Amino acid sequence: MVKKAKPLELACDGHPQVAGVSEGVQVAIYRPQVLETPVLEGQGAVDGGGVSIYGSVIRDNGIFRMWYQATPQRPLTAGDTVLVGCVESDDGLSWRRPSHRIMEWEGRRDHHLTDLPFHCPSVVIDPQAPPQARYRAFGCTGRRKLADLPAGFPLPVEAWYAYHSAHSADGLHWTVDGPAPAWPWADVITSVRDPWAGRIRVALKRNGRSAGLFRRRFCTADYAAGRAGEAVTGLIPDEFDDQAAQARGFASADYYGLGWMPGPTVTVGFLWIFRHQAPLGADGVRRYGKIGCVDVSLVYQTEPGGRWQHLPGRPDWLATRDMPEWASGALYTAAYPLEVGDETWLYFTGTADRHGWRGEGVERDGVEAGRSRIGLARWPAGRLMGYESRLRGIVQLEPRQGAKDDNRLCLNLVTRPGGRVRAQLLDDGGQPIPGYAFDDCEPLTGDHLKTDVRWRGKSFGAEQRPTAVQLELQGATLYGFEFTVAGIGA
């Protein structure tokens, strides 16, 4: 197994190595490039009704494989199972539909459906599992309400409409674990294998009362050694989400799902913000958001299992108002992104209609109402959030303990014309180390994903033993860093 290269640390508030920032430094967000046309659209009987990356994309032995929710041309009826397709690609852009010949649909088997019976199928590869369970999937076990179950159904009722896991040797032929569910509740679930924590992390939707409404929220749990850990609340929507929604012309908001991007220290979440239009729905005494748009915001943890944080102001990272027409109603991300060369790719579902229009008597807008398509957002590796200073500002970092001779300061940065980044190392008294002050530093300019800092042609060694570094940002944005000193703890 190839060892995963360690990325730079993301520059963000709360990071244990960020000791402080000066006035003039503000949080920056990097918005991705979105391809104008979808990378996958429905066609034929199997998925002619739409394709949704309520699922995952994995690069497996050089081949891209995508598991997604397929909506057939004809409506699903009682007795049907949900449909999960698996397609392949050499470049992640042009996809082929292999004939897996596994599951019969409309009297045919020459299609790309698997036998995974999950709504919102989230798939990971588990290198710690035995060969017969190399692929692990999580999802909701069906689309029918509990009252629709046939008499004498072999599983207990709670095992049908709940979150389950499944395993497979090839990602195509699946065995559902059970009969007991992994977690209660049902609907949207995502999972990712965290290589830094050595475990599978799961986010699942749960509903409950918050700030005067019945709202959707997400919980997180671990899955290891075939066992589901306890689900704990991640983030609960609040009045500030309502204020942000109202500023965009909506009434209120909640959280519909979460995509994952684990890092060595910081885990980023791609949070699906469901913004409700008025009037709200009602179910007895409960009021809740029923119809609206779904945008994507960034949240993050600075330690696995720690508190989730929003960025200041809770800005949108992907906004329906900025998307192509086919994705201008609602957005839902894949379970996790991929590293492709020097870029990060995240697939997403886009619809021209807002969430919840079906059967609600609202006017459909956009093109081919109701159809979902799969698109792609991509951005330079390591660039999601950071610190920006248009004039002059200081970011101070403390070192992380490195291995022997592991003394390094490496940055991910961009400067504007005329801008620069310089660094100075500080001793234990907070003073610049001779030869390693700002005036000794070779200024960094331009666009760098990974670049080492040098002072008059040299880096620093064990004899300097800095206790901190100050980064001077002048017309520049810092996105990531690695600051290690042999023999010194952070």
Side-chain angles (χ1 to χ4, degrees), residues 47-65:
D47 58 16
V51 294
S52 301
I53 190 63
Y54 260 30
S56 308
V57 182
I58 293 175
R59 202 170 186 182
D60 189 14
N61 295 321
I63 301 296
F64 292 82
R65 304 182 75 190

mmCIF file of all heavy atoms in Angstrom, residues 47-65:
data_model
loop_
_atom_site.group_PDB
_atom_site.id
_atom_site.type_symbol
_atom_site.label_atom_id
_atom_site.label_comp_id
_atom_site.label_asym_id
_atom_site.label_seq_id
_atom_site.Cartn_x
_atom_site.Cartn_y
_atom_site.Cartn_z
ATOM 1 N N ASP A 47 -31.383 5.292 -15.463
ATOM 2 C CA ASP A 47 -31.212 6.559 -14.751
ATOM 3 C C ASP A 47 -31.685 7.757 -15.571
ATOM 4 O O ASP A 47 -31.234 8.882 -15.356
ATOM 5 C CB ASP A 47 -29.762 6.757 -14.315
ATOM 6 C CG ASP A 47 -28.770 6.721 -15.465
ATOM 7 O OD1 ASP A 47 -29.196 6.839 -16.635
ATOM 8 O OD2 ASP A 47 -27.558 6.591 -15.209
ATOM 9 N N GLY A 48 -32.621 7.518 -16.499
ATOM 10 C CA GLY A 48 -33.133 8.611 -17.317
ATOM 11 C C GLY A 48 -33.873 9.665 -16.535
ATOM 12 O O GLY A 48 -34.091 10.775 -17.028
ATOM 13 N N GLY A 49 -34.276 9.369 -15.309
ATOM 14 C CA GLY A 49 -34.938 10.352 -14.460
ATOM 15 C C GLY A 49 -33.993 11.253 -13.708
ATOM 16 O O GLY A 49 -34.412 12.223 -13.072
ATOM 17 N N GLY A 50 -32.701 10.948 -13.735
ATOM 18 C CA GLY A 50 -31.715 11.787 -13.066
ATOM 19 C C GLY A 50 -30.639 10.979 -12.378
ATOM 20 O O GLY A 50 -30.809 9.786 -12.088
ATOM 21 N N VAL A 51 -29.496 11.622 -12.146
ATOM 22 C CA VAL A 51 -28.367 10.997 -11.443
ATOM 23 C C VAL A 51 -27.963 11.915 -10.295
ATOM 24 O O VAL A 51 -27.917 13.136 -10.450
ATOM 25 C CB VAL A 51 -27.176 10.752 -12.400
ATOM 26 C CG1 VAL A 51 -27.541 9.732 -13.457
ATOM 27 C CG2 VAL A 51 -26.704 12.049 -13.070
ATOM 28 N N SER A 52 -27.685 11.339 -9.132
ATOM 29 C CA SER A 52 -27.358 12.125 -7.934
ATOM 30 C C SER A 52 -26.132 11.541 -7.258
ATOM 31 O O SER A 52 -26.106 10.345 -6.960
ATOM 32 C CB SER A 52 -28.527 12.128 -6.944
ATOM 33 O OG SER A 52 -29.689 12.672 -7.523
ATOM 34 N N ILE A 53 -25.129 12.382 -7.004
ATOM 35 C CA ILE A 53 -23.964 11.918 -6.265
ATOM 36 C C ILE A 53 -24.263 12.006 -4.768
ATOM 37 O O ILE A 53 -23.557 12.604 -3.988
ATOM 38 C CB ILE A 53 -22.681 12.660 -6.684
ATOM 39 C CG1 ILE A 53 -21.425 12.012 -6.079
ATOM 40 C CG2 ILE A 53 -22.763 14.139 -6.332
ATOM 41 C CD1 ILE A 53 -21.186 10.622 -6.534
ATOM 42 N N TYR A 54 -25.440 11.431 -4.418
ATOM 43 C CA TYR A 54 -25.686 10.989 -3.054
ATOM 44 C C TYR A 54 -24.825 9.740 -2.952
ATOM 45 O O TYR A 54 -25.325 8.616 -2.938
ATOM 46 C CB TYR A 54 -27.154 10.615 -2.917
ATOM 47 C CG TYR A 54 -28.056 11.658 -2.283
ATOM 48 C CD1 TYR A 54 -27.783 13.008 -2.403
ATOM 49 C CD2 TYR A 54 -29.178 11.272 -1.569
ATOM 50 C CE1 TYR A 54 -28.621 13.945 -1.828
ATOM 51 C CE2 TYR A 54 -30.024 12.201 -0.993
ATOM 52 C CZ TYR A 54 -29.744 13.540 -1.131
ATOM 53 O OH TYR A 54 -30.575 14.463 -0.562
ATOM 54 N N GLY A 55 -23.509 9.904 -2.942
ATOM 55 C CA GLY A 55 -22.629 8.760 -3.048
ATOM 56 C C GLY A 55 -21.177 9.180 -3.010
ATOM 57 O O GLY A 55 -20.823 10.183 -2.396
ATOM 58 N N SER A 56 -20.319 8.407 -3.700
ATOM 59 C CA SER A 56 -18.876 8.561 -3.563
ATOM 60 C C SER A 56 -18.177 8.335 -4.889
ATOM 61 O O SER A 56 -18.675 7.617 -5.762
ATOM 62 C CB SER A 56 -18.329 7.552 -2.539
ATOM 63 O OG SER A 56 -19.039 7.617 -1.315
ATOM 64 N N VAL A 57 -16.990 8.944 -5.009
ATOM 65 C CA VAL A 57 -16.091 8.689 -6.124
ATOM 66 C C VAL A 57 -14.742 8.295 -5.536
ATOM 67 O O VAL A 57 -14.207 8.988 -4.666
ATOM 68 C CB VAL A 57 -15.936 9.910 -7.041
ATOM 69 C CG1 VAL A 57 -15.021 9.579 -8.220
ATOM 70 C CG2 VAL A 57 -17.286 10.392 -7.541
ATOM 71 N N ILE A 58 -14.211 7.171 -6.019
ATOM 72 C CA ILE A 58 -12.926 6.650 -5.536
ATOM 73 C C ILE A 58 -12.006 6.451 -6.729
ATOM 74 O O ILE A 58 -12.455 6.026 -7.801
ATOM 75 C CB ILE A 58 -13.121 5.313 -4.795
ATOM 76 C CG1 ILE A 58 -13.898 5.521 -3.499
ATOM 77 C CG2 ILE A 58 -11.772 4.641 -4.501
ATOM 78 C CD1 ILE A 58 -14.235 4.224 -2.776
ATOM 79 N N ARG A 59 -10.739 6.761 -6.547
ATOM 80 C CA ARG A 59 -9.744 6.425 -7.557
ATOM 81 C C ARG A 59 -9.078 5.130 -7.105
ATOM 82 O O ARG A 59 -8.288 5.101 -6.168
ATOM 83 C CB ARG A 59 -8.718 7.544 -7.694
ATOM 84 C CG ARG A 59 -7.990 7.528 -9.023
ATOM 85 C CD ARG A 59 -7.169 8.774 -9.210
ATOM 86 N NE ARG A 59 -6.580 8.830 -10.528
ATOM 87 C CZ ARG A 59 -5.781 9.794 -10.940
ATOM 88 N NH1 ARG A 59 -5.489 10.799 -10.115
ATOM 89 N NH2 ARG A 59 -5.268 9.790 -12.156
ATOM 90 N N ASP A 60 -9.416 4.050 -7.795
ATOM 91 C CA ASP A 60 -9.042 2.704 -7.370
ATOM 92 C C ASP A 60 -8.183 2.055 -8.447
ATOM 93 O O ASP A 60 -8.659 1.793 -9.557
ATOM 94 C CB ASP A 60 -10.315 1.887 -7.114
ATOM 95 C CG ASP A 60 -10.026 0.551 -6.460
ATOM 96 O OD1 ASP A 60 -8.906 0.361 -5.965
ATOM 97 O OD2 ASP A 60 -10.939 -0.290 -6.441
ATOM 98 N N ASN A 61 -6.900 1.823 -8.123
ATOM 99 C CA ASN A 61 -5.961 1.217 -9.084
ATOM 100 C C ASN A 61 -5.929 1.980 -10.401
ATOM 101 O O ASN A 61 -5.916 1.405 -11.495
ATOM 102 C CB ASN A 61 -6.326 -0.257 -9.329
ATOM 103 C CG ASN A 61 -6.158 -1.120 -8.093
ATOM 104 O OD1 ASN A 61 -5.201 -0.937 -7.329
ATOM 105 N ND2 ASN A 61 -7.081 -2.042 -7.875
ATOM 106 N N GLY A 62 -5.928 3.316 -10.300
ATOM 107 C CA GLY A 62 -5.820 4.167 -11.473
ATOM 108 C C GLY A 62 -7.122 4.447 -12.182
ATOM 109 O O GLY A 62 -7.152 5.243 -13.126
ATOM 110 N N ILE A 63 -8.219 3.817 -11.761
ATOM 111 C CA ILE A 63 -9.519 3.999 -12.390
ATOM 112 C C ILE A 63 -10.443 4.765 -11.447
ATOM 113 O O ILE A 63 -10.525 4.453 -10.256
ATOM 114 C CB ILE A 63 -10.166 2.648 -12.756
ATOM 115 C CG1 ILE A 63 -9.269 1.873 -13.716
ATOM 116 C CG2 ILE A 63 -11.544 2.855 -13.374
ATOM 117 C CD1 ILE A 63 -9.066 2.536 -15.058
ATOM 118 N N PHE A 64 -11.136 5.770 -11.978
ATOM 119 C CA PHE A 64 -12.164 6.453 -11.209
ATOM 120 C C PHE A 64 -13.425 5.581 -11.189
ATOM 121 O O PHE A 64 -13.878 5.126 -12.250
ATOM 122 C CB PHE A 64 -12.512 7.800 -11.838
ATOM 123 C CG PHE A 64 -11.427 8.835 -11.763
ATOM 124 C CD1 PHE A 64 -10.390 8.851 -12.683
ATOM 125 C CD2 PHE A 64 -11.451 9.806 -10.779
ATOM 126 C CE1 PHE A 64 -9.399 9.817 -12.637
ATOM 127 C CE2 PHE A 64 -10.461 10.788 -10.718
ATOM 128 C CZ PHE A 64 -9.431 10.787 -11.651
ATOM 129 N N ARG A 65 -13.989 5.377 -10.015
ATOM 130 C CA ARG A 65 -15.249 4.648 -9.887
ATOM 131 C C ARG A 65 -16.230 5.511 -9.096
ATOM 132 O O ARG A 65 -15.865 6.073 -8.055
ATOM 133 C CB ARG A 65 -15.060 3.302 -9.182
ATOM 134 C CG ARG A 65 -14.045 2.385 -9.843
ATOM 135 C CD ARG A 65 -13.951 1.059 -9.126
ATOM 136 N NE ARG A 65 -15.106 0.211 -9.406
ATOM 137 C CZ ARG A 65 -15.367 -0.934 -8.759
ATOM 138 N NH1 ARG A 65 -14.580 -1.332 -7.766
ATOM 139 N NH2 ARG A 65 -16.421 -1.663 -9.086
#
